[in-house]
Amino acid sequence: MPSPRASAENDGPLPGGPERPAPEPGRSRPASAGGPPPGAPAAPGDARPGGGRPELPHRVLTSLLGAWALAACSAEETAAVEAHLTDCASCADEALRLRDAVGLLHPADSLDLDPLLRSRVLEGCLGRRPARIPVPEWAAPYDAETAKLDALLRDMGDAEWRAPVRLRWFDGERPVHRETTAAGVLGHLLAVDGLVATALGLPDPLGDAAPTARAGPGARTRALWRALGEAPRTPALHRPWREQSHTLIRTAAFAGGGVGDLTVPYGPVQLPLRDAFLDRAFGCWLHAGDIAEAVAYPHEGPAADHLHSLVDLAARLLPRALAHLRQTGLAAPPRQLVAAGSPGRTLHLEIEGDGGGHWYIALDSPAAVGSPEHTVAHIALDGEEFCQLAAGHIVPDEAAAGSDGEREAIRDVLYATASLSRL
């Protein structure tokens, strides 16, 4: 910016009166017109033929100082203002003050909301003021996985709800599958979550279509699909499923600590409510992955502490699954029976990565206790791969497991893990 210098306006009135027409080229301005005599310097804002800038009066140039400081003037206005500042000390001082003030303004922000804003606000709020009725620790994985699936479903269009999805599981001997749609998967989750709902005294989402009271997850799912006439192809089930998941979490939170021991029937199998919530979190995560794969959408796995809880549930169910395989002739008979509660032959299950840990699986009886001192075999698996095996998405013989010890025990435990899966 050019330095200001004194001008004639410092010693006389500012030209603010009516504008006078410029004299025609070649003619001098008459003295009676009140203008400067011929040969006198022109006042700021007067015409300067051949000067190369607009002929703007002082009051107009003064009004442009704010826009000039913000760099909002046109090229012609900028040239006129800057030429004026070399002649007018008062305007030059005002321009410096305005330019300094502009430097204090906050830079312009984008009007687009940060996609992570909601999660940061919620995290900040919960960190400053925890919920008065917190979600039970054993229900937290279900809360997180249903929220993630809900976010995925909200982004799906009508065509994606009709996308073909393959549900896979392992029946104890071989992998099996069932073709449905993304909407059909949500119906499956709604039907099986209904087992937890009825155990809590809530309405059964299947209503009159519900099968017998002892019907398991597969029977309930098929009953819902039959009631809908065919595999559902619209997002109509999204809202009922999400409302039911919210109700389950609220009911568990308000029920108090003892509700975790309430029994939830899964057909011939029964689980305490705390394990049923983990089972439903497990199913929600894996089936959300099935939907995401079908519509080519990314979907992340559970948080490390939640994954650990899901692995722990599967590991605790393995002795019972082994006993069931033996009853059907799909596993070797027990080698060493011991009294209930006593240590017996044990397989050391090591889960690596996020959610990992060490579990000791009793091999010969569900009532026996696994013990490091009685370990006869060892299996090492990644946490997510172990869960995929437990979901029946991986054939036991193809599991990337590091192992050593009794081959028969290793095979039986891998097959028992896959047999935990179901429709």
Side-chain angles (χ1 to χ4, degrees), residues 166-170 175-178 286-287 289-290 293 388 391-394 421-423:
R166 173 175 290 188
L167 296 180
R168 297 167 289 165
W169 67 99
F170 195 79
V176 292
H177 68 272
R178 167 70 184 264
L286 291 166
H287 290 316
D290 292 335
E293 181 180 358
Q388 293 291 333
H393 291 184
I394 298 176
S421 62
R422 61 174 186 269
L423 173 60

Side-chain angles (χ1 to χ4, degrees), residues 190-206:
L190 177 72
V192 184
D193 286 359
L195 290 168
V196 182
T198 55
L200 287 170
L202 300 172
D204 190 331
L206 271 61

Side-chain angles (χ1 to χ4, degrees), residues 116-398:
L116 299 177
L117 176 62
R118 181 175 182 272
S119 62
R120 286 203 299 266
V121 170
L122 290 175
E123 182 180 0
C125 292
L126 293 175
R128 289 174 173 82
R129 184 176 182 181
R132 292 187 179 182
I133 308 296
V135 174
E137 183 178 357
W138 40 264
Y142 178 75
D143 187 17
E145 294 308 315
T146 53
K148 285 163 53 181
L149 176 55
D150 180 50
L152 166 62
L153 298 176
R154 288 178 183 273
D155 285 342
M156 286 174 42
D158 290 342
E160 291 171 315
W161 282 96
R162 299 189 296 270
V165 180
R166 173 175 290 188
L167 296 180
R168 297 167 289 165
W169 67 99
F170 195 79
D171 71 351
E173 296 183 85
R174 60 187 179 278
V176 292
H177 68 272
R178 167 70 184 264
E179 298 289 342
T180 183
T181 62
V185 175
L186 194 62
H188 167 61
L189 292 175
L190 177 72
V192 184
D193 286 359
L195 290 168
V196 182
T198 55
L200 287 170
L202 300 172
D204 190 331
L206 271 61
D208 295 338
T212 62
R214 294 186 61 82
R220 288 178 59 84
T221 299
R222 288 186 288 270
L224 176 63
W225 287 343
R226 284 195 302 269
L228 296 174
E230 58 180 89
R233 298 176 179 273
T234 69
L237 293 176
H238 182 189
R239 183 174 179 180
W241 167 80
R242 191 57 175 140
E243 288 179 349
Q244 177 176 258
S245 66
H246 281 147
T247 303
L248 290 175
I249 295 165
R250 285 196 302 269
T251 304
F254 279 98
V259 74
D261 296 325
L262 188 68
T263 298
V264 180
Y266 277 74
V269 178
Q270 292 186 336
L271 292 176
L273 184 70
R274 63 180 73 251
D275 286 347
F277 263 91
L278 291 175
D279 174 81
R280 301 318 308 135
F282 189 91
C284 184
W285 162 45
L286 291 166
H287 290 316
D290 292 335
I291 295 174
E293 181 180 358
V295 299
Y297 196 94
H299 190 71
E300 296 182 356
D305 55 336
H306 293 174
L307 182 61
H308 180 85
S309 297
L310 303 184
V311 171
D312 179 69
L313 172 64
R316 288 188 284 111
L317 293 176
L318 280 177
R320 184 190 302 176
L322 268 172
H324 178 71
L325 287 183
R326 289 195 179 102
Q327 291 172 1
T328 56
L330 298 177
R335 292 189 181 182
Q336 182 184 2
L337 293 176
V338 297
S342 300
R345 293 172 62 250
T346 299
L347 180 136
H348 175 200
L349 175 64
E350 179 182 359
I351 302 300
E352 302 170 335
D354 291 342
H358 298 267
W359 286 264
Y360 294 90
I361 313 301
L363 293 172
D364 292 325
S365 171
V369 175
S371 168
E373 292 77 18
H374 294 76
T375 297
V376 298
H378 171 250
I379 295 176
L381 273 169
D382 174 75
E384 288 205 18
E385 185 171 19
F386 174 76
C387 290
Q388 293 291 333
L389 176 63
H393 291 184
I394 298 176
V395 177
D397 294 332
E398 297 177 0

Side-chain angles (χ1 to χ4, degrees), residues 19-170:
E19 298 184 43
R20 303 182 184 91
E24 297 179 13
R27 294 182 57 184
S28 61
R29 184 178 296 176
S32 59
D46 286 346
R48 285 188 179 181
R53 58 184 172 89
E55 302 168 4
L56 300 176
H58 181 271
R59 67 176 181 276
V60 175
L61 293 166
T62 302
S63 70
L64 289 173
L65 292 179
W68 173 84
L70 291 168
C73 289
S74 66
E76 294 78 5
E77 291 170 339
T78 299
V81 170
E82 292 179 352
H84 174 66
L85 297 180
T86 64
D87 297 331
C88 180
S90 61
C91 285
D93 290 340
E94 179 66 13
L96 286 173
R97 287 193 294 271
L98 291 172
R99 181 59 65 86
D100 290 341
V102 168
L104 299 176
L105 296 177
H106 192 280
D109 292 329
S110 171
L111 296 179
D112 295 331
L113 292 178
D114 185 341
L116 299 177
L117 176 62
R118 181 175 182 272
S119 62
R120 286 203 299 266
V121 170
L122 290 175
E123 182 180 0
C125 292
L126 293 175
R128 289 174 173 82
R129 184 176 182 181
R132 292 187 179 182
I133 308 296
V135 174
E137 183 178 357
W138 40 264
Y142 178 75
D143 187 17
E145 294 308 315
T146 53
K148 285 163 53 181
L149 176 55
D150 180 50
L152 166 62
L153 298 176
R154 288 178 183 273
D155 285 342
M156 286 174 42
D158 290 342
E160 291 171 315
W161 282 96
R162 299 189 296 270
V165 180
R166 173 175 290 188
L167 296 180
R168 297 167 289 165
W169 67 99
F170 195 79

